């Protein structure tokens, strides 16, 4: 990013600065008078680079772009911050399960946690705007399935679900697979594994 | 045991330290942790106990874990702490699992106790993974806590504006029509050849006097009249025929629809 | 301003970005952990220079500093999308009357049209920018009088109102002949009816 940004970059800066909600590339391009999305994307990348390391940054969260303050400036801003939602432990765990397993049904959440999940927990997450109903699973009973929202990614500073901490390792270790699948896989690979226990 | 869904409002914890599980609190005396409200069910308690073996969850000893759990429950009962049913169910199941694991091999049921133990281990691994993931998630730079957006953004607005259009011809034509509509209009009736009802009455009744036979209406019309006079004469003669019939001087016959209309004199 | 702002500059950026209202130098310095106001002032000057020419700027207004959208980017915040709409028949008539008779009061328009004119019609013409209020007529009641605007002439490609066709032209074009018009309308509806009779 040079010191003298071009008109498109300036327009993007002004628009992202003024917007009330993060903007997708498509909405941003349309707002800029039907600019070429490829050019907008390139300009966004340039701007993100320019602001990187400054007190404010341009970031992408779930396909939506916005300005935010740098994380290490938080101590300055804390005194006037809004109250961040504090989640109960149950809600936190349920949120993690939804995020790492989505889309996921309530029964699947409960089977991981080994405890019934009260409807209130999912309600709290949905009210916070982090979890949404993502349809029904086409199995008997057609259970409702849940997934995370773009606001979830924004709130936790994730560009996409691929940025979920450790998700690749968890997947590689099979820890995102159901117990049944994992057990069968293990039983196939090493039939004697159960005996090692003793 | 399900203190779920509550939003804790206190702000005490530092980032990433959203909660403190009883078992992970830094003190050696386990007896202090017989407060079971801190766990999200028996699996959660098992996970905490397993973590205290300080080995990878893949290498924990299920038998040791079972003993720890059962010991825990016993002490809770000795202290007359109220235990939720699912903790007791888990205790009973673990006691069964332990005995099955220790039994001689021959008469093992299906599923085998080894399978059950492995499945329990897998479940603990999965719950442990999610608990860690939740902690790492909560420790991220969170919007409104660590990073901030503008407090009062102007917002983007798209105003729809009507752009009116009209063309020159429409304008001029509209004016012409206003003028035309409101200009004082002079109406002139063109002179037209007509046969009045009086003359038709006279003509029809005098012609009826000539004969007693039926005559068609057309026969009463002037034979060489121009078309417009002929139309007028037809209309007038028809009305005249009706009038004569009303007066009882003639009778009308009309055999079928759109057929010829006939009339003749009524005998006095 | 270098590409790598110092910590004070970063802190100022983050604070000015996140604040709800512009901050005075004193408040800003206090907020930054009792920074030296002279240093803060110098950093602000540096930042103002850095943002100068970008899409957002750091400016001082009445002793208070804040971020704002660059003035020439302000149009992006409130975009207008035009919707083309044809003038209604009534509005076209009123416009024509104003054009031919200006300045003209609403009562005069109504008497020329022979029908009542709704206030909305004149509003539309004023919104379109073709008609303006041209004062009041000095008669009892002092009615408002209306006239056309330069935009009107421009839209219709007229040099002046004298370019409007005169009454004689309209008559020659057949636009002023109510009898003919009425006769034609009748003739069109029932052309040969008389001849069919025979």
């Amino acid at each position: 990013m040079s010191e003298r940004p071009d008109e498109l970059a300036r327009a993007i800066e002004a628009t992202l600065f003024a917007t009330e909600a993060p903007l997708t590339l498509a909405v941003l391009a349309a707002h800029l008078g039907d600019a070429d999305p490829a050019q907008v994307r390139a300009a966004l990348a340039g701007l993100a680079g320019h602001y990187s390391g400054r007190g404010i940054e341009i970031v992408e969260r779930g396909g939506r772009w916005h300005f935010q303050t740098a994380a290490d400036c938080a101590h300055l801003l804390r005194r006037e911050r809004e109250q961040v939602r504090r989640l109960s432990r149950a809600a936190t765990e349920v949120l993690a399960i939804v995020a790492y397993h989505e889309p996921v049904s309530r029964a699947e959440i409960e089977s991981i946690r080994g405890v019934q999940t009260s409807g209130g927990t999912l309600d709290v997450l949905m009210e916070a705007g982090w979890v949404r109903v993502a349809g029904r699973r086409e199995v008997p009973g057609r259970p409702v399935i849940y997934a995370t929202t773009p606001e979830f990614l924004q709130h936790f500073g994730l560009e996409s679900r691929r940025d979920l901490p450790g998700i690749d390792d968890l997947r590689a270790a099979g820890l995102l697979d159901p117990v049944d699948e994992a057990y069968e896989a293990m039983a196939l690979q090493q039939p004697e594994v159960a005996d090692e226990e003793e | 045991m399900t203190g779920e869904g509550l939003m804790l409002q206190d702000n005490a914890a530092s980032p990433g330290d959203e909660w403190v599980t009883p078992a992970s609190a830094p003190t050696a005396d386990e007896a202090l942790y017989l407060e079971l409200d801190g766990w999200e069910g028996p699996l959660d308690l098992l996970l905490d106990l397993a973590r205290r073996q300080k080995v990878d969850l893949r290498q924990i000893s299920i038998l040791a874990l079972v003993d720890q759990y059962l010991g825990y429950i016993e002490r809770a009962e000795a202290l007359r702490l109220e235990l939720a049913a699912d903790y007791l169910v888990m205790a009973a199941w673990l006691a069964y699992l332990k005995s099955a694991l220790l039994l001689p091999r021959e008469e093992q049921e299906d599923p085998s106790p080894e399978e059950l133990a492995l499945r329990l281990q897998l479940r603990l691994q999965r719950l442990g993974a999610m608990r860690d993931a939740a902690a790492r998630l909560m420790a991220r730079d969170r919007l409104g806590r660590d990073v901030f957006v503008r407090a009062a953004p102007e917002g983007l607005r798209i105003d729809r504006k009507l752009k009116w259009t009209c063309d020159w011809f429409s304008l001029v034509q509209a004016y012409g029509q206003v003028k035309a509509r409101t200009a004082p209009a002079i109406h002139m009736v063109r002179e037209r050849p007509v046969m009045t009802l009086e003359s038709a009455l006279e003509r029809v009744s005098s012609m009826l006097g000539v004969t007693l036979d039926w005559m068609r209406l057309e026969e009463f019309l002037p034979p060489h009249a121009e078309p417009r006079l002929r139309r007028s004469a037809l209309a007038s003669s028809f009305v005249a025929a009706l009038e004569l019939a009303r007066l009882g001087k003639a009778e009308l016959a009309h055999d079928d629809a759109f057929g010829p209309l006939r009339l003749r004199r009524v005998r006095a």
Side-chain angles (χ1 to χ4, degrees), chain A, chain B:
Chain A
M1 198 67 211
S2 77
E3 282 294 314
R4 318 206 78 222
D6 63 22
E7 283 311 304
L8 180 60
R10 295 183 71 234
I12 292 171
E13 278 181 318
T15 306
L16 287 183
F17 176 78
T19 183
E20 280 161 334
L23 300 176
T24 63
L25 188 66
V27 169
L28 186 57
H31 189 87
L32 297 172
D34 295 317
D36 175 10
Q39 285 186 356
V40 174
R41 176 174 288 287
L44 276 168
L47 282 169
H50 170 78
Y51 280 97
S52 160
R54 302 196 68 91
I56 55 177
E57 298 171 340
I58 288 182
V59 293
E60 180 185 4
R61 299 286 179 252
R64 291 153 204 257
W65 294 81
H66 68 129
F67 261 115
Q68 66 181 28
T69 58
D72 63 333
C73 293
H75 62 284
L76 292 166
L77 309 169
R78 217 154 253 178
R79 67 192 78 172
E80 49 190 278
R81 73 185 174 177
E82 63 234 68
Q83 185 76 31
V84 172
R85 280 180 177 278
R86 289 191 62 80
L87 295 181
S88 70
R89 186 160 155 217
T92 312
E93 271 182 21
V94 171
L95 179 62
I97 292 169
V98 173
Y100 283 79
H101 292 260
E102 76 176 46
V104 65
S105 72
R106 188 152 143 190
E108 288 156 359
I109 296 170
E110 290 179 350
S111 100
I112 293 170
R113 299 187 63 225
V115 67
Q116 289 225 328
T117 299
S118 79
T121 306
L122 279 163
D123 285 349
V124 162
L125 295 174
M126 288 196 277
E127 194 197 316
W130 295 337
V131 167
R132 67 189 167 88
V133 169
R136 290 176 180 277
R137 197 170 315 287
E138 291 304 336
V139 296
R142 302 187 70 238
V144 167
I145 48 178
Y146 299 90
T148 54
T149 63
E151 289 74 27
F152 164 80
L153 297 174
Q154 277 153 31
H155 183 91
F156 291 97
L158 301 162
E159 268 193 33
S160 74
R161 277 188 61 244
R162 269 167 300 182
D163 292 343
L164 283 168
I167 192 169
D168 290 339
D169 295 339
L170 292 177
R171 189 172 288 128
L175 286 170
L176 298 181
D177 301 331
V179 168
D180 284 344
E181 265 176 45
Y183 177 79
E184 273 157 34
M186 287 179 80
L188 279 175
Q189 277 173 6
Q190 359 171 239
E192 272 85 48
V193 78
D195 296 338
E196 287 172 2
E197 205 76 16
E198 306 195 303
Chain B
M1 222 58 64
T2 50
E4 295 197 8
L6 295 177
M7 302 293 285
L8 306 179
Q9 287 303 318
D10 72 301
N11 230 351
S14 56
D17 195 8
E18 294 281 318
W19 66 82
V20 178
T21 62
S24 55
T27 164
D29 189 353
E30 291 179 18
L32 287 177
Y33 304 125
L34 284 169
E35 184 60 61
L36 290 176
D37 280 347
W39 284 286
E40 296 279 333
L43 199 64
D44 195 33
L45 170 55
L46 270 173
L47 179 59
D48 247 352
L49 293 170
R51 287 257 161 98
R52 275 189 263 176
Q53 293 187 8
K54 297 213 190 302
V55 289
D56 190 301
L57 280 181
R58 282 169 294 187
Q59 281 147 21
I60 53 162
S61 158
I62 289 290
L63 278 178
L65 186 60
V66 169
D67 286 339
Q68 283 168 355
Y69 185 92
L70 294 178
Y72 223 89
I73 300 298
E74 275 168 28
R75 265 174 291 159
E77 284 179 329
L79 289 170
R80 300 186 172 210
L81 294 178
E82 207 161 310
L83 288 173
D86 46 353
Y87 287 81
L88 300 175
V89 170
M90 176 64 89
W93 185 80
L94 289 174
Y96 160 79
L97 178 63
K98 181 183 172 185
S99 63
L101 285 170
L102 295 175
L103 268 180
R105 299 249 99 194
E106 309 105 48
E107 302 174 34
Q108 294 292 343
E109 297 167 27
D110 192 45
S112 69
E114 285 77 17
E115 178 180 341
L116 293 176
L118 182 55
R119 282 177 178 272
L120 176 62
Q121 205 174 349
L122 291 173
R123 288 187 72 188
L124 289 173
Q125 282 175 30
R126 273 153 188 71
L127 181 60
M130 282 302 105
R131 202 201 262 183
D132 294 345
R136 292 174 72 180
L137 200 53
M138 292 300 138
R140 288 188 64 82
D141 292 332
R142 289 169 60 184
L143 202 64
R145 188 186 73 179
D146 308 296
V147 297
F148 297 86
V149 293
R150 288 184 66 209
E154 295 83 1
L156 304 172
R157 269 180 50 192
I158 294 182
D159 295 338
R160 301 219 175 276
K161 191 186 173 198
L162 288 179
K163 179 176 168 57
W164 294 97
T165 178
C166 181
D167 58 66
W168 182 89
F169 181 74
S170 303
L171 182 77
V172 171
Q173 188 191 41
Y175 188 67
Q177 287 180 1
V178 167
K179 293 306 267 182
R181 194 168 67 220
T182 56
I186 301 162
H187 295 282
M188 292 196 296
V189 179
R190 288 173 210 219
E191 206 177 317
R192 303 179 58 185
V194 293
M195 177 184 282
T196 64
L197 181 57
E198 287 77 18
S199 59
L201 260 176
E202 195 177 321
R203 183 180 170 87
V204 170
S205 51
S206 65
M207 288 177 74
L208 271 179
V210 175
T211 174
L212 277 174
D213 292 340
W214 289 100
M215 290 176 69
R216 289 173 57 186
L217 184 62
E218 284 77 3
E219 294 177 56
F220 294 90
L221 304 183
H224 302 296
E226 60 146 320
R228 286 191 296 174
L229 176 62
R230 197 173 157 80
R231 277 184 76 200
S232 172
L234 181 66
S236 303
S237 301
F238 173 63
V239 176
L242 292 176
E243 178 66 13
L244 290 171
R246 190 179 69 82
L247 295 172
K249 292 181 180 168
E251 55 184 335
L252 299 177
H254 193 213
D255 300 325
D256 34 37
F258 302 110
L261 185 70
R262 296 175 298 144
L263 65 162
R264 69 174 179 190
R265 178 157 58 106
V266 174
R267 279 175 228 240

